[in-house]
Amino acid sequence: METPKNGTCRKKKYQKVSFDMKLSIIDEIANGQISVNHASNKYNISRSSIEYWIKKLSNFENKSMSMSKNDQIKKLKQRIEELEFVKEFQQDVIADFENITGEHLSKKYLPEALAKEIEKKKQSLSK
């Protein structure tokens, strides 16, 4: 590397970064999508600045993005209802398949508790 003739090193110019952009960069690094070095090159930001943001803003990000306990509980309850619906549907399909073909797939491939539930559904369908 050659230095300029006047002997001074030029300081690298960096762009100003918005607060939301800082949070998104920190999020990418925290999720393991990119490294600090890669983020530095990608966004033309010094590594020391990114490390400073991580130190100062990672707690802010967690507080601002986190849901309240009640919201988390509501979301989890909705997810449970969705999964129970899917489970019921799958059990109905398996029970119908067993009634039509006469094969007992649930006993061979599923846990005992699920096989019992499917057997009950199969009996209710045959009535």
PDB file of all heavy atoms in Angstrom, residues 76-100:
ATOM      1  N   LEU A  76     -50.068 -17.559  21.671  1.00  0.00           N
ATOM      2  CA  LEU A  76     -49.830 -18.993  21.885  1.00  0.00           C
ATOM      3  C   LEU A  76     -51.136 -19.786  21.895  1.00  0.00           C
ATOM      4  O   LEU A  76     -51.206 -20.892  21.351  1.00  0.00           O
ATOM      5  CB  LEU A  76     -49.054 -19.217  23.180  1.00  0.00           C
ATOM      6  CG  LEU A  76     -47.589 -18.770  23.153  1.00  0.00           C
ATOM      7  CD1 LEU A  76     -46.985 -18.867  24.547  1.00  0.00           C
ATOM      8  CD2 LEU A  76     -46.792 -19.589  22.164  1.00  0.00           C
ATOM      9  N   LYS A  77     -52.188 -19.212  22.493  1.00  0.00           N
ATOM     10  CA  LYS A  77     -53.487 -19.892  22.495  1.00  0.00           C
ATOM     11  C   LYS A  77     -54.029 -20.033  21.083  1.00  0.00           C
ATOM     12  O   LYS A  77     -54.578 -21.083  20.725  1.00  0.00           O
ATOM     13  CB  LYS A  77     -54.489 -19.132  23.376  1.00  0.00           C
ATOM     14  CG  LYS A  77     -54.261 -19.349  24.848  1.00  0.00           C
ATOM     15  CD  LYS A  77     -55.290 -18.613  25.685  1.00  0.00           C
ATOM     16  CE  LYS A  77     -55.059 -18.849  27.159  1.00  0.00           C
ATOM     17  NZ  LYS A  77     -56.026 -18.127  27.992  1.00  0.00           N
ATOM     18  N   GLN A  78     -53.870 -18.991  20.269  1.00  0.00           N
ATOM     19  CA  GLN A  78     -54.303 -19.072  18.876  1.00  0.00           C
ATOM     20  C   GLN A  78     -53.529 -20.150  18.129  1.00  0.00           C
ATOM     21  O   GLN A  78     -54.099 -20.923  17.359  1.00  0.00           O
ATOM     22  CB  GLN A  78     -54.108 -17.727  18.166  1.00  0.00           C
ATOM     23  CG  GLN A  78     -55.095 -16.668  18.566  1.00  0.00           C
ATOM     24  CD  GLN A  78     -54.786 -15.333  17.906  1.00  0.00           C
ATOM     25  OE1 GLN A  78     -53.676 -15.091  17.444  1.00  0.00           O
ATOM     26  NE2 GLN A  78     -55.789 -14.457  17.876  1.00  0.00           N
ATOM     27  N   ARG A  79     -52.243 -20.210  18.382  1.00  0.00           N
ATOM     28  CA  ARG A  79     -51.408 -21.213  17.717  1.00  0.00           C
ATOM     29  C   ARG A  79     -51.819 -22.619  18.141  1.00  0.00           C
ATOM     30  O   ARG A  79     -51.862 -23.543  17.317  1.00  0.00           O
ATOM     31  CB  ARG A  79     -49.931 -20.960  18.045  1.00  0.00           C
ATOM     32  CG  ARG A  79     -48.982 -21.886  17.365  1.00  0.00           C
ATOM     33  CD  ARG A  79     -48.903 -21.610  15.889  1.00  0.00           C
ATOM     34  NE  ARG A  79     -47.942 -22.520  15.303  1.00  0.00           N
ATOM     35  CZ  ARG A  79     -48.065 -23.083  14.131  1.00  0.00           C
ATOM     36  NH1 ARG A  79     -49.077 -22.783  13.367  1.00  0.00           N
ATOM     37  NH2 ARG A  79     -47.168 -23.914  13.685  1.00  0.00           N
ATOM     38  N   ILE A  80     -52.148 -22.797  19.407  1.00  0.00           N
ATOM     39  CA  ILE A  80     -52.602 -24.106  19.899  1.00  0.00           C
ATOM     40  C   ILE A  80     -53.891 -24.497  19.204  1.00  0.00           C
ATOM     41  O   ILE A  80     -54.056 -25.648  18.775  1.00  0.00           O
ATOM     42  CB  ILE A  80     -52.774 -24.073  21.436  1.00  0.00           C
ATOM     43  CG1 ILE A  80     -51.406 -24.032  22.122  1.00  0.00           C
ATOM     44  CG2 ILE A  80     -53.574 -25.283  21.917  1.00  0.00           C
ATOM     45  CD1 ILE A  80     -51.461 -23.767  23.607  1.00  0.00           C
ATOM     46  N   GLU A  81     -54.829 -23.547  19.078  1.00  0.00           N
ATOM     47  CA  GLU A  81     -56.098 -23.841  18.400  1.00  0.00           C
ATOM     48  C   GLU A  81     -55.859 -24.244  16.946  1.00  0.00           C
ATOM     49  O   GLU A  81     -56.471 -25.184  16.452  1.00  0.00           O
ATOM     50  CB  GLU A  81     -57.025 -22.625  18.462  1.00  0.00           C
ATOM     51  CG  GLU A  81     -57.601 -22.369  19.833  1.00  0.00           C
ATOM     52  CD  GLU A  81     -58.429 -21.090  19.894  1.00  0.00           C
ATOM     53  OE1 GLU A  81     -58.662 -20.471  18.827  1.00  0.00           O
ATOM     54  OE2 GLU A  81     -58.835 -20.713  20.999  1.00  0.00           O
ATOM     55  N   GLU A  82     -54.958 -23.532  16.262  1.00  0.00           N
ATOM     56  CA  GLU A  82     -54.647 -23.871  14.874  1.00  0.00           C
ATOM     57  C   GLU A  82     -54.069 -25.280  14.768  1.00  0.00           C
ATOM     58  O   GLU A  82     -54.466 -26.064  13.904  1.00  0.00           O
ATOM     59  CB  GLU A  82     -53.647 -22.879  14.296  1.00  0.00           C
ATOM     60  CG  GLU A  82     -54.183 -21.491  14.082  1.00  0.00           C
ATOM     61  CD  GLU A  82     -53.094 -20.493  13.708  1.00  0.00           C
ATOM     62  OE1 GLU A  82     -51.940 -20.909  13.463  1.00  0.00           O
ATOM     63  OE2 GLU A  82     -53.400 -19.287  13.666  1.00  0.00           O
ATOM     64  N   LEU A  83     -53.129 -25.585  15.651  1.00  0.00           N
ATOM     65  CA  LEU A  83     -52.490 -26.900  15.609  1.00  0.00           C
ATOM     66  C   LEU A  83     -53.471 -28.017  15.966  1.00  0.00           C
ATOM     67  O   LEU A  83     -53.399 -29.115  15.394  1.00  0.00           O
ATOM     68  CB  LEU A  83     -51.274 -26.928  16.540  1.00  0.00           C
ATOM     69  CG  LEU A  83     -50.099 -26.068  16.083  1.00  0.00           C
ATOM     70  CD1 LEU A  83     -49.014 -26.042  17.152  1.00  0.00           C
ATOM     71  CD2 LEU A  83     -49.532 -26.557  14.767  1.00  0.00           C
ATOM     72  N   GLU A  84     -54.385 -27.752  16.914  1.00  0.00           N
ATOM     73  CA  GLU A  84     -55.393 -28.763  17.245  1.00  0.00           C
ATOM     74  C   GLU A  84     -56.318 -29.009  16.062  1.00  0.00           C
ATOM     75  O   GLU A  84     -56.701 -30.149  15.800  1.00  0.00           O
ATOM     76  CB  GLU A  84     -56.191 -28.333  18.486  1.00  0.00           C
ATOM     77  CG  GLU A  84     -55.416 -28.510  19.771  1.00  0.00           C
ATOM     78  CD  GLU A  84     -56.181 -28.043  20.994  1.00  0.00           C
ATOM     79  OE1 GLU A  84     -57.240 -27.393  20.849  1.00  0.00           O
ATOM     80  OE2 GLU A  84     -55.711 -28.334  22.105  1.00  0.00           O
ATOM     81  N   PHE A  85     -56.673 -27.940  15.334  1.00  0.00           N
ATOM     82  CA  PHE A  85     -57.501 -28.107  14.136  1.00  0.00           C
ATOM     83  C   PHE A  85     -56.781 -28.967  13.099  1.00  0.00           C
ATOM     84  O   PHE A  85     -57.380 -29.879  12.520  1.00  0.00           O
ATOM     85  CB  PHE A  85     -57.853 -26.737  13.546  1.00  0.00           C
ATOM     86  CG  PHE A  85     -58.607 -26.838  12.255  1.00  0.00           C
ATOM     87  CD1 PHE A  85     -59.957 -27.150  12.257  1.00  0.00           C
ATOM     88  CD2 PHE A  85     -57.960 -26.637  11.043  1.00  0.00           C
ATOM     89  CE1 PHE A  85     -60.653 -27.261  11.069  1.00  0.00           C
ATOM     90  CE2 PHE A  85     -58.657 -26.748   9.850  1.00  0.00           C
ATOM     91  CZ  PHE A  85     -60.003 -27.056   9.863  1.00  0.00           C
ATOM     92  N   VAL A  86     -55.513 -28.686  12.879  1.00  0.00           N
ATOM     93  CA  VAL A  86     -54.724 -29.468  11.921  1.00  0.00           C
ATOM     94  C   VAL A  86     -54.642 -30.918  12.360  1.00  0.00           C
ATOM     95  O   VAL A  86     -54.794 -31.840  11.542  1.00  0.00           O
ATOM     96  CB  VAL A  86     -53.312 -28.855  11.753  1.00  0.00           C
ATOM     97  CG1 VAL A  86     -52.395 -29.779  10.974  1.00  0.00           C
ATOM     98  CG2 VAL A  86     -53.398 -27.495  11.079  1.00  0.00           C
ATOM     99  N   LYS A  87     -54.428 -31.145  13.643  1.00  0.00           N
ATOM    100  CA  LYS A  87     -54.344 -32.509  14.170  1.00  0.00           C
ATOM    101  C   LYS A  87     -55.655 -33.256  13.957  1.00  0.00           C
ATOM    102  O   LYS A  87     -55.667 -34.406  13.503  1.00  0.00           O
ATOM    103  CB  LYS A  87     -53.992 -32.479  15.661  1.00  0.00           C
ATOM    104  CG  LYS A  87     -53.845 -33.849  16.292  1.00  0.00           C
ATOM    105  CD  LYS A  87     -53.577 -33.712  17.783  1.00  0.00           C
ATOM    106  CE  LYS A  87     -54.681 -34.410  18.501  1.00  0.00           C
ATOM    107  NZ  LYS A  87     -54.687 -34.286  19.918  1.00  0.00           N
ATOM    108  N   GLU A  88     -56.762 -32.581  14.259  1.00  0.00           N
ATOM    109  CA  GLU A  88     -58.081 -33.200  14.064  1.00  0.00           C
ATOM    110  C   GLU A  88     -58.297 -33.559  12.597  1.00  0.00           C
ATOM    111  O   GLU A  88     -58.770 -34.644  12.270  1.00  0.00           O
ATOM    112  CB  GLU A  88     -59.195 -32.253  14.536  1.00  0.00           C
ATOM    113  CG  GLU A  88     -59.199 -31.974  16.017  1.00  0.00           C
ATOM    114  CD  GLU A  88     -59.656 -33.154  16.834  1.00  0.00           C
ATOM    115  OE1 GLU A  88     -60.521 -33.906  16.344  1.00  0.00           O
ATOM    116  OE2 GLU A  88     -59.134 -33.325  17.945  1.00  0.00           O
ATOM    117  N   PHE A  89     -57.940 -32.640  11.715  1.00  0.00           N
ATOM    118  CA  PHE A  89     -58.104 -32.881  10.286  1.00  0.00           C
ATOM    119  C   PHE A  89     -57.264 -34.078   9.835  1.00  0.00           C
ATOM    120  O   PHE A  89     -57.746 -34.952   9.107  1.00  0.00           O
ATOM    121  CB  PHE A  89     -57.714 -31.632   9.494  1.00  0.00           C
ATOM    122  CG  PHE A  89     -57.795 -31.819   8.011  1.00  0.00           C
ATOM    123  CD1 PHE A  89     -59.023 -31.867   7.375  1.00  0.00           C
ATOM    124  CD2 PHE A  89     -56.648 -31.952   7.254  1.00  0.00           C
ATOM    125  CE1 PHE A  89     -59.114 -32.045   6.008  1.00  0.00           C
ATOM    126  CE2 PHE A  89     -56.719 -32.136   5.887  1.00  0.00           C
ATOM    127  CZ  PHE A  89     -57.952 -32.184   5.269  1.00  0.00           C
ATOM    128  N   GLN A  90     -56.020 -34.121  10.271  1.00  0.00           N
ATOM    129  CA  GLN A  90     -55.148 -35.235   9.896  1.00  0.00           C
ATOM    130  C   GLN A  90     -55.688 -36.562  10.432  1.00  0.00           C
ATOM    131  O   GLN A  90     -55.650 -37.582   9.743  1.00  0.00           O
ATOM    132  CB  GLN A  90     -53.721 -34.994  10.409  1.00  0.00           C
ATOM    133  CG  GLN A  90     -53.010 -33.889   9.676  1.00  0.00           C
ATOM    134  CD  GLN A  90     -51.673 -33.526  10.300  1.00  0.00           C
ATOM    135  OE1 GLN A  90     -51.415 -33.813  11.468  1.00  0.00           O
ATOM    136  NE2 GLN A  90     -50.831 -32.869   9.521  1.00  0.00           N
ATOM    137  N   GLN A  91     -56.193 -36.539  11.643  1.00  0.00           N
ATOM    138  CA  GLN A  91     -56.756 -37.767  12.210  1.00  0.00           C
ATOM    139  C   GLN A  91     -57.985 -38.211  11.424  1.00  0.00           C
ATOM    140  O   GLN A  91     -58.176 -39.404  11.187  1.00  0.00           O
ATOM    141  CB  GLN A  91     -57.106 -37.555  13.686  1.00  0.00           C
ATOM    142  CG  GLN A  91     -55.888 -37.481  14.572  1.00  0.00           C
ATOM    143  CD  GLN A  91     -56.246 -37.214  16.019  1.00  0.00           C
ATOM    144  OE1 GLN A  91     -57.391 -36.889  16.343  1.00  0.00           O
ATOM    145  NE2 GLN A  91     -55.269 -37.349  16.897  1.00  0.00           N
ATOM    146  N   ASP A  92     -58.820 -37.248  11.004  1.00  0.00           N
ATOM    147  CA  ASP A  92     -59.988 -37.598  10.187  1.00  0.00           C
ATOM    148  C   ASP A  92     -59.566 -38.224   8.868  1.00  0.00           C
ATOM    149  O   ASP A  92     -60.155 -39.203   8.415  1.00  0.00           O
ATOM    150  CB  ASP A  92     -60.849 -36.355   9.921  1.00  0.00           C
ATOM    151  CG  ASP A  92     -61.587 -35.868  11.158  1.00  0.00           C
ATOM    152  OD1 ASP A  92     -61.726 -36.667  12.118  1.00  0.00           O
ATOM    153  OD2 ASP A  92     -62.017 -34.698  11.160  1.00  0.00           O
ATOM    154  N   VAL A  93     -58.541 -37.653   8.246  1.00  0.00           N
ATOM    155  CA  VAL A  93     -58.062 -38.186   6.969  1.00  0.00           C
ATOM    156  C   VAL A  93     -57.523 -39.603   7.152  1.00  0.00           C
ATOM    157  O   VAL A  93     -57.831 -40.505   6.358  1.00  0.00           O
ATOM    158  CB  VAL A  93     -56.981 -37.255   6.365  1.00  0.00           C
ATOM    159  CG1 VAL A  93     -56.280 -37.918   5.187  1.00  0.00           C
ATOM    160  CG2 VAL A  93     -57.595 -35.936   5.940  1.00  0.00           C
ATOM    161  N   ILE A  94     -56.767 -39.822   8.198  1.00  0.00           N
ATOM    162  CA  ILE A  94     -56.215 -41.157   8.457  1.00  0.00           C
ATOM    163  C   ILE A  94     -57.342 -42.148   8.737  1.00  0.00           C
ATOM    164  O   ILE A  94     -57.337 -43.276   8.229  1.00  0.00           O
ATOM    165  CB  ILE A  94     -55.194 -41.115   9.620  1.00  0.00           C
ATOM    166  CG1 ILE A  94     -53.946 -40.337   9.195  1.00  0.00           C
ATOM    167  CG2 ILE A  94     -54.807 -42.523  10.060  1.00  0.00           C
ATOM    168  CD1 ILE A  94     -52.980 -40.054  10.327  1.00  0.00           C
ATOM    169  N   ALA A  95     -58.327 -41.733   9.540  1.00  0.00           N
ATOM    170  CA  ALA A  95     -59.446 -42.615   9.858  1.00  0.00           C
ATOM    171  C   ALA A  95     -60.231 -42.966   8.598  1.00  0.00           C
ATOM    172  O   ALA A  95     -60.605 -44.134   8.387  1.00  0.00           O
ATOM    173  CB  ALA A  95     -60.356 -41.967  10.898  1.00  0.00           C
ATOM    174  N   ASP A  96     -60.484 -41.962   7.741  1.00  0.00           N
ATOM    175  CA  ASP A  96     -61.176 -42.238   6.475  1.00  0.00           C
ATOM    176  C   ASP A  96     -60.376 -43.201   5.610  1.00  0.00           C
ATOM    177  O   ASP A  96     -60.929 -44.129   5.020  1.00  0.00           O
ATOM    178  CB  ASP A  96     -61.415 -40.936   5.690  1.00  0.00           C
ATOM    179  CG  ASP A  96     -62.508 -40.079   6.286  1.00  0.00           C
ATOM    180  OD1 ASP A  96     -63.333 -40.621   7.068  1.00  0.00           O
ATOM    181  OD2 ASP A  96     -62.539 -38.868   5.982  1.00  0.00           O
ATOM    182  N   PHE A  97     -59.086 -42.966   5.531  1.00  0.00           N
ATOM    183  CA  PHE A  97     -58.221 -43.833   4.733  1.00  0.00           C
ATOM    184  C   PHE A  97     -58.266 -45.276   5.240  1.00  0.00           C
ATOM    185  O   PHE A  97     -58.361 -46.218   4.460  1.00  0.00           O
ATOM    186  CB  PHE A  97     -56.783 -43.305   4.755  1.00  0.00           C
ATOM    187  CG  PHE A  97     -55.812 -44.144   3.988  1.00  0.00           C
ATOM    188  CD1 PHE A  97     -55.734 -44.050   2.610  1.00  0.00           C
ATOM    189  CD2 PHE A  97     -54.983 -45.047   4.644  1.00  0.00           C
ATOM    190  CE1 PHE A  97     -54.840 -44.827   1.890  1.00  0.00           C
ATOM    191  CE2 PHE A  97     -54.091 -45.827   3.944  1.00  0.00           C
ATOM    192  CZ  PHE A  97     -54.021 -45.723   2.557  1.00  0.00           C
ATOM    193  N   GLU A  98     -58.219 -45.429   6.564  1.00  0.00           N
ATOM    194  CA  GLU A  98     -58.261 -46.777   7.144  1.00  0.00           C
ATOM    195  C   GLU A  98     -59.603 -47.442   6.884  1.00  0.00           C
ATOM    196  O   GLU A  98     -59.662 -48.650   6.651  1.00  0.00           O
ATOM    197  CB  GLU A  98     -57.942 -46.727   8.636  1.00  0.00           C
ATOM    198  CG  GLU A  98     -56.482 -46.447   8.916  1.00  0.00           C
ATOM    199  CD  GLU A  98     -56.148 -46.449  10.397  1.00  0.00           C
ATOM    200  OE1 GLU A  98     -57.070 -46.554  11.234  1.00  0.00           O
ATOM    201  OE2 GLU A  98     -54.958 -46.352  10.719  1.00  0.00           O
ATOM    202  N   ASN A  99     -60.701 -46.672   6.960  1.00  0.00           N
ATOM    203  CA  ASN A  99     -62.026 -47.242   6.671  1.00  0.00           C
ATOM    204  C   ASN A  99     -62.125 -47.687   5.216  1.00  0.00           C
ATOM    205  O   ASN A  99     -62.690 -48.735   4.918  1.00  0.00           O
ATOM    206  CB  ASN A  99     -63.137 -46.231   6.975  1.00  0.00           C
ATOM    207  CG  ASN A  99     -63.471 -46.182   8.449  1.00  0.00           C
ATOM    208  OD1 ASN A  99     -63.199 -47.120   9.191  1.00  0.00           O
ATOM    209  ND2 ASN A  99     -64.063 -45.082   8.875  1.00  0.00           N
ATOM    210  N   ILE A 100     -61.588 -46.893   4.312  1.00  0.00           N
ATOM    211  CA  ILE A 100     -61.695 -47.203   2.888  1.00  0.00           C
ATOM    212  C   ILE A 100     -60.793 -48.367   2.499  1.00  0.00           C
ATOM    213  O   ILE A 100     -61.220 -49.305   1.827  1.00  0.00           O
ATOM    214  CB  ILE A 100     -61.365 -45.956   2.039  1.00  0.00           C
ATOM    215  CG1 ILE A 100     -62.443 -44.897   2.253  1.00  0.00           C
ATOM    216  CG2 ILE A 100     -61.259 -46.304   0.560  1.00  0.00           C
ATOM    217  CD1 ILE A 100     -62.090 -43.543   1.683  1.00  0.00           C
TER     218      ILE A 100
END
